[in-house]
């Protein structure tokens, strides 16, 4: 669920409840604050405590951030969006983990300096036992949205603050952390709590989609116009009809706890089944269903299913989907992102069975048509497939379509992005490990991705970024059809079909000694190249299918002016970029029926009108002089944007300068390289870098994500 700043502001009032407002004159509020203060006194705190200026050591903070990397990944864009609503209000946004330790903050520079004086900075713990009554710590204790205003803070030094915090929960009801907006108590606004609560719900909804992207999800509300908004409830349904998880709006509407809801199935909750839901939604443009609880209360329901394309209406049992086996794995995020580009609008024939996945990808472009014909000839013939193409062209989407059309369709499809996993973890991710194989290993070990793919398809995305040492191990696995986990002496036999993909020129890498020639020929059965979006003639069809996927109800049209702009643009991010542009535009055009130029984001319009991306990227792809891991997103988070972040390693990973930086391969990569060098010069300070570059913080985050 993605909301724009305008949506956040427009609906904040709905989320601002009287009980969340700081009203010291009310008796109930006074009694509540007194209870909180008594709890702090019982912990041995005094109201004249001095601020604790001893945050976690840098190494310990890095560990805390790495442990909460997934939380930050979902929260960072939301925090930036929220910051747009409170900019220049003497405020800051804080993300804390479940223990109350601040992981990340963003805000007005002047107020960040004031916050430093009371140790409201990353690495400092703001749980109640450390800082007394405050919104972060008290929200953690109460497990509910909390406002603490001015003198309501237990420690006098914090009385100049007004704080609004909301806890963040996963789909099973486990607390993940806290999102907080803190400002000068004189700048308090009653809608701040609403903004914070909505932002926390956005993070939770993204977490739910990340966990259950391959499952049937029902989006519902008692008022049909609220479907597709932050007010909608979402429940996740297994192939057997059991409820697997839900967002908090669903729990509120159904008046159930997370545990109680998971005791239900679709039949016991709504009196229907998963096949019945699929029967209803298999038409091209279905209307919402109307489902009732046992007490007669009605809900309007829409359904989404972005996972492996099977007709669950025809199944009596679920098939394993290994790429979601561990939602915390860094492998799954990009896989789920690329799957949703086009696969969300699944096509059905009249009898309810799915069209061929490859058939669905054939959208009228002659190059795509010829590619599909080639691929169809090698399916089920044990011939490896190697897919070439620029980033964002849909390499994984093609791989999934091949898997779906093969005899292995009911077995796992496992996607491994060799570029997105840190080099220190990729071996364990691929081959698995035994208990105690290395420091930090899980108890009882873990099954590797290769074993998870047994019987199905292993998709090795960005194979050109695999470290050279691991290429030899992978080659042996592919030749011997067995894998030995780290720390184990026992080999496990595996039966897998292998599909590789890369945007690199592997022959050049072989000559440079950075890719094994024997592995290349092992993967090089049939080689196909996906054309860039700018080289295709079916952009209008692709755009329409993306909109049908994201907006199955009230799908907007694309105006002639916008389509002309699209066709003149070079799309350096290809289909993935097109999907992001359309997704934002569809939200901005909600209820208007047609996407116009003013619905497009400003940075895209600036690029399109200035011709900044009007030339196709260079095809030359020099080999990087640095390790593949350096092109991944940072494993540590940026320090908060203030001038005190002066240490050289304030932002690790891609902004660190190398002795011999690689030559940019494309215009987009040149932009990313400039951003990285500017960040390095600014010691990782996002605020300083954005001012020097003349671009927004959001653009920096987005460009770094695309530049992985």
């Amino acid at each position: 669920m993605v909301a724009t700043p305008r949506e956040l502001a427009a609906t904040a009032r709905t989320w601002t409840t009287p009980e969340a407002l700081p009203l010291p004159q009310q008796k109930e509020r006074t009694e509540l604050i007194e209870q909180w203060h008594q709890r702090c006194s019982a912990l041995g705190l005094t109201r004249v405590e001095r601020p604790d200026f001893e945050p976690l050591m840098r190494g310990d903070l890095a560990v805390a951030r790495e442990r909460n990397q997934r939380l930050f990944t979902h929260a960072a864009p939301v925090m930036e969006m929220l910051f747009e609503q409170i900019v220049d209000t003497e405020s800051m946004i804080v993300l804390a983990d479940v223990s109350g330790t601040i992981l990340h903050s963003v805000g007005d520079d002047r107020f960040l300096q004031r916050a430093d004086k009371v140790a409201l900075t990353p690495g400092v713990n703001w749980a109640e036992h450390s800082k007394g009554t405050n919104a972060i710590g008290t929200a953690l204790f109460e497990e509910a949205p909390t406002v603490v205003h001015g003198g309501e803070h237990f420690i006098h030094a914090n009385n100049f603050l007004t704080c609004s915090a909301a806890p963040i929960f996963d789909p099973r009801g486990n607390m993940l952390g806290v999102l907080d907006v803190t400002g000068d108590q004189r700048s308090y606004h009653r809608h701040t709590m609403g903004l914070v609560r909505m932002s926390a719900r956005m993070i939770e909804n993204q977490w739910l989609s990340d966990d259950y992207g391959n499952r049937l999800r029902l989006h519902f509300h008692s008022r049909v116009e609220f479907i597709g908004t932050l007010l909608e409830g979402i429940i996740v349904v297994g192939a057997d009809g059991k409820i697997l998880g839900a967002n908090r709006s669903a729990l509120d509407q159904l008046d159930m706890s997370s545990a109680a809801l998971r005791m239900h199935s679709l039949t016991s909750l709504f009196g229907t089944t998963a096949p019945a839901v699929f029967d209803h939604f298999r038409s091209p443009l279905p209307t919402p269903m109307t489902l009732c609880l046992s007490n007669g209360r009605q809900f309007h329901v829409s359904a989404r299913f972005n996972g492996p394309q099977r007709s669950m209406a025809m199944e009596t049992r679920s098939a394993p989907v290994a790429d979601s086996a561990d939602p915390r794995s860094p492998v799954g995020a990009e896989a789920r992102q690329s799957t949703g580009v086009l696969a969300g609008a699944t096509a059905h024939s009249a009898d309810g069975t799915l069209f061929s996945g490859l058939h669905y990808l054939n959208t009228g472009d002659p190059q795509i048509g010829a590619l599909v014909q080639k691929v169809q000839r090698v399916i089920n013939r044990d011939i490896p497939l190697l897919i070439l193409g620029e980033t964002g062209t849909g390499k994984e989407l093609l791989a999934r379509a091949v898997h779906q059309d093969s005899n292995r369709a009911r077995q796992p499809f496992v996607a491994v992005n060799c570029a997105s996993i840190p080099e220190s973890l990729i071996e364990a991710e691929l081959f698995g490990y035994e208990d105690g194989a290395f420091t930090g290993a899980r108890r009882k070990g873990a099954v590797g991705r290769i074993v998870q793919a047994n019987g199905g398809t292993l998709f090795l995305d960005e194979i050109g970024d695999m470290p050279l040492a691991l290429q030899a191990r992978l080659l042996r696995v592919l030749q011997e059809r067995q894998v030995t986990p780290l720390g184990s002496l026992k080999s496990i036999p595996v039966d897998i079909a292998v599909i590789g993909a890369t945007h690199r020129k592997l022959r050049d890498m072989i000559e440079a000694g950075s890719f094994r020639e024997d592995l290349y020929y092992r993967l090089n059965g049939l080689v196909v190249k996906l054309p860039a979006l700018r080289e295709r003639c079916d952009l209008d069809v692709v755009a329409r299918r993306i909109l049908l996927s994201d907006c199955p109800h009230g799908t907007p049209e694309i105006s002639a002016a916008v389509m002309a702009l699209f066709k003149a643009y070079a799309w350096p991010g290809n289909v993935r970029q097109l999907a992001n542009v359309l997704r934002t535009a569809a939200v901005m055009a909600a209820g208007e029926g047609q996407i116009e130029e003013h619905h497009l984001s400003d940075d895209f319009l600036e690029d399109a009108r200035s011709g900044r991306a009007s030339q196709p990227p260079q095809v030359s792809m020099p080999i990087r002089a640095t390790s593949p891991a350096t092109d991944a997103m940072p494993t540590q988070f940026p320090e908060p944007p203030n001038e005190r972040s002066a240490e050289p390693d304030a932002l690790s990973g891609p902004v660190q300068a190398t002795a011999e930086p690689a030559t940019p391969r494309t215009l987009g990569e040149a932009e990313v390289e400039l951003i990285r060098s500017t960040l390095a010069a600014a010691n990782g300070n996002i605020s300083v870098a954005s001012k020097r570059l003349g671009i927004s913080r959001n653009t920096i985050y987005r460009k770094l994500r695309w530049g992985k």
Side-chain angles (χ1 to χ4, degrees):
M1 175 71 60
V2 178
T4 64
R6 186 168 64 181
E7 284 183 306
L8 284 174
T11 54
R13 188 176 295 105
T14 307
W15 292 70
T16 308
T17 56
E19 60 270 20
L21 299 179
L23 300 175
Q25 70 274 20
Q26 293 184 358
K27 180 180 179 181
E28 297 80 2
R29 177 73 181 178
T30 302
E31 292 176 352
L32 180 62
I33 298 300
E34 181 61 29
Q35 292 175 13
W36 293 349
H37 286 190
Q38 289 176 1
R39 190 163 65 213
C40 297
S41 297
L43 292 171
L45 297 174
T46 65
R47 303 202 67 177
V48 292
E49 295 277 346
R50 294 176 59 85
D52 179 7
F53 288 100
E54 296 184 5
L56 295 178
M57 298 292 291
R58 178 174 293 275
D60 293 334
L61 178 58
V63 169
R65 286 170 162 171
E66 185 174 357
R67 186 168 56 244
N68 292 277
Q69 174 72 50
R70 188 176 171 209
L71 174 62
F72 173 79
T73 298
H74 288 302
V78 176
M79 293 173 71
E80 292 295 329
M81 189 179 299
L82 180 56
F83 181 62
E84 292 182 20
Q85 296 301 307
I86 65 168
V87 68
D88 297 327
T89 61
E90 289 287 301
S91 302
M92 65 187 294
I93 304 167
V94 176
L95 178 69
D97 66 13
V98 72
S99 70
T101 298
I102 297 177
L103 301 172
H104 181 56
S105 64
V106 59
D108 295 328
D109 290 342
R110 285 181 55 193
F111 188 77
L112 287 171
Q113 293 172 7
R114 295 181 63 192
D116 283 350
K117 297 178 181 179
V118 291
L120 190 61
T121 57
V124 178
N125 187 279
W126 274 69
E128 275 196 347
H129 64 78
S130 175
K131 294 292 184 291
T133 301
N134 72 90
I136 296 172
T138 305
L140 281 170
F141 188 92
E142 300 288 340
E143 298 189 359
T146 303
V147 171
V148 177
H149 181 70
E152 294 176 345
H153 288 86
F154 182 76
I155 297 177
H156 288 310
N158 299 330
N159 286 359
F160 74 96
L161 303 173
T162 181
C163 310
S164 304
I168 303 167
F169 294 91
D170 71 11
R172 299 180 65 85
N174 302 310
M175 193 182 301
L176 301 168
V178 172
L179 186 68
D180 167 82
V181 169
T182 291
D184 187 298
Q185 58 102 7
R186 294 169 297 182
S187 66
Y188 168 76
H189 195 286
R190 65 190 184 93
H191 294 322
T192 302
M193 186 73 253
L195 290 169
V196 175
R197 292 179 63 197
M198 282 198 307
S199 299
R201 294 289 175 96
M202 289 175 64
I203 298 169
E204 292 171 346
N205 287 353
Q206 291 169 13
W207 192 286
L208 182 144
S209 296
D210 195 30
D211 271 359
Y212 298 110
N214 65 313
R215 300 290 186 178
L216 172 65
R217 285 166 288 157
L218 300 185
H219 298 241
F220 67 92
H221 199 277
S222 57
R223 295 172 58 180
V224 69
E225 64 268 24
F226 285 158
I227 296 178
T229 73
L230 285 170
L231 299 176
E232 70 177 357
I234 306 174
I235 60 174
V236 183
V237 183
D240 56 0
K242 290 185 177 179
I243 308 299
L244 303 178
N247 69 352
R248 278 198 289 167
S249 181
L251 301 180
D252 292 343
Q253 292 186 66
L254 298 172
D255 195 22
M256 292 184 185
S257 67
S258 179
L261 181 59
R262 293 198 307 274
M263 297 295 291
H264 279 278
S265 66
L266 271 182
T267 302
S268 63
L269 185 67
F270 286 128
T272 188
T273 62
V277 172
F278 272 84
D279 282 342
H280 179 89
F281 287 102
R282 71 186 182 195
S283 60
L285 293 173
T287 58
M289 293 182 74
T290 300
L291 298 178
C292 296
L293 298 177
S294 57
N295 60 11
R297 187 178 179 190
Q298 289 188 345
F299 292 99
H300 301 281
V301 181
S302 177
R304 295 181 190 174
F305 180 68
N306 297 332
Q309 272 64 67
R310 306 180 186 89
S311 177
M312 289 178 62
M314 306 297 292
E315 291 183 354
T316 57
R317 62 179 181 177
S318 61
V321 183
D323 58 328
S324 64
D326 184 1
R328 295 167 295 181
S329 167
V331 178
E334 185 165 333
R336 283 182 289 271
Q337 181 183 14
S338 62
T339 304
V341 170
L342 290 178
T346 306
H348 294 77
S349 63
D351 63 358
T353 59
L354 288 168
F355 283 132
S356 158
L358 288 169
H359 176 89
Y360 185 61
L361 292 183
N362 197 349
T363 50
D365 181 83
Q367 301 171 87
I368 298 295
L371 181 150
V372 167
Q373 288 183 1
K374 288 181 181 179
V375 172
Q376 285 174 330
R377 293 173 184 169
V378 302
I379 289 180
N380 298 325
R381 295 182 181 272
D382 198 27
I383 296 177
L385 178 64
L386 182 61
I387 307 171
L388 307 179
E390 296 177 8
T391 299
T393 51
K395 296 187 287 292
E396 182 177 342
L397 195 60
L398 174 59
R400 286 182 180 269
V402 171
H403 171 75
Q404 180 189 320
D405 285 359
S406 74
N407 295 336
R408 299 173 179 266
R410 300 183 69 84
Q411 299 303 319
F413 176 91
V414 179
V416 179
N417 189 312
C418 302
S420 68
I421 311 174
E423 186 172 349
S424 60
L425 298 179
I426 188 171
E427 187 174 16
E429 282 282 346
L430 272 177
F431 304 107
Y433 54 86
E434 294 292 314
D435 183 15
F438 56 89
T439 302
R442 296 180 194 166
R443 297 181 61 184
K444 300 183 180 180
V447 176
R449 292 291 185 168
I450 295 175
V451 173
Q452 289 177 9
N454 189 30
T457 301
L458 177 67
F459 175 57
L460 298 171
D461 196 8
E462 301 301 352
I463 186 68
D465 290 286
M466 177 175 285
L468 193 61
L470 264 67
Q471 294 176 23
R473 282 203 66 183
L474 175 62
L475 177 63
R476 175 167 293 185
V477 169
L478 298 181
Q479 290 176 336
E480 299 178 358
R481 299 285 177 166
Q482 58 183 15
V483 61
T484 304
L486 298 180
S488 174
L489 300 177
K490 184 185 297 184
S491 295
I492 303 172
V494 289
D495 170 26
I496 54 176
V498 178
I499 302 177
T502 183
H503 70 282
R504 298 187 175 279
K505 288 190 173 182
L506 294 184
R507 289 187 180 276
D508 291 349
M509 297 183 69
I510 291 171
E511 293 179 4
S514 60
F515 197 85
R516 293 181 63 101
E517 186 174 15
D518 47 6
L519 177 60
Y520 172 75
Y521 287 114
R522 181 64 183 81
L523 296 170
N524 184 4
L526 172 68
V527 179
V528 294
K529 182 179 179 181
L530 275 171
L533 184 58
R534 64 183 173 275
E535 299 168 352
R536 295 169 60 169
C537 63
D538 57 349
L539 186 146
D540 51 345
V541 178
V542 174
R544 180 64 180 171
R545 289 201 175 177
I546 292 172
L547 288 174
L548 281 170
S549 173
D550 289 342
C551 311
H553 310 295
T555 308
E557 300 293 332
I558 301 175
S559 71
V562 170
M563 185 55 69
L565 197 65
F566 283 178
K567 290 184 176 181
Y569 187 65
W571 298 107
N574 290 294
V575 179
R576 184 180 298 134
Q577 182 188 8
L578 174 63
N580 288 336
V581 169
L582 286 173
R583 190 171 294 118
T584 300
V587 171
M588 299 299 292
E592 297 185 32
Q594 184 166 269
I595 293 175
E596 303 286 355
E597 288 191 33
H598 64 272
H599 295 135
L600 303 175
S601 61
D602 291 342
D603 59 340
F604 173 78
L605 282 174
E606 181 183 353
D607 287 349
R609 289 170 175 168
S610 66
R612 187 173 300 170
S614 61
Q615 297 298 321
Q618 299 296 317
V619 296
S620 174
M621 299 180 185
I623 300 154
R624 291 174 296 182
T626 56
S627 163
T630 61
D631 266 2
M633 285 295 286
T635 55
Q636 298 180 12
F637 305 136
E639 292 292 333
N642 61 54
E643 300 299 334
R644 298 179 69 251
S645 297
E647 293 81 7
D649 58 347
L651 179 61
S652 66
V655 300
Q656 293 176 340
T658 58
E660 297 179 12
T663 303
R665 297 183 296 273
T666 68
L667 180 60
E669 287 168 340
E671 292 178 338
V672 172
E673 190 67 29
L674 176 61
I675 291 173
R676 288 174 174 170
S677 61
T678 305
L679 277 171
N683 296 315
N685 191 311
I686 298 288
S687 179
V688 172
S690 67
K691 291 176 182 177
R692 290 179 181 176
L693 291 167
I695 59 178
S696 69
R697 301 163 185 255
N698 275 343
T699 300
I700 290 180
Y701 280 112
R702 177 173 53 79
K703 293 288 186 181
L704 288 180
R705 284 200 298 274
W706 284 356
K708 288 196 292 185

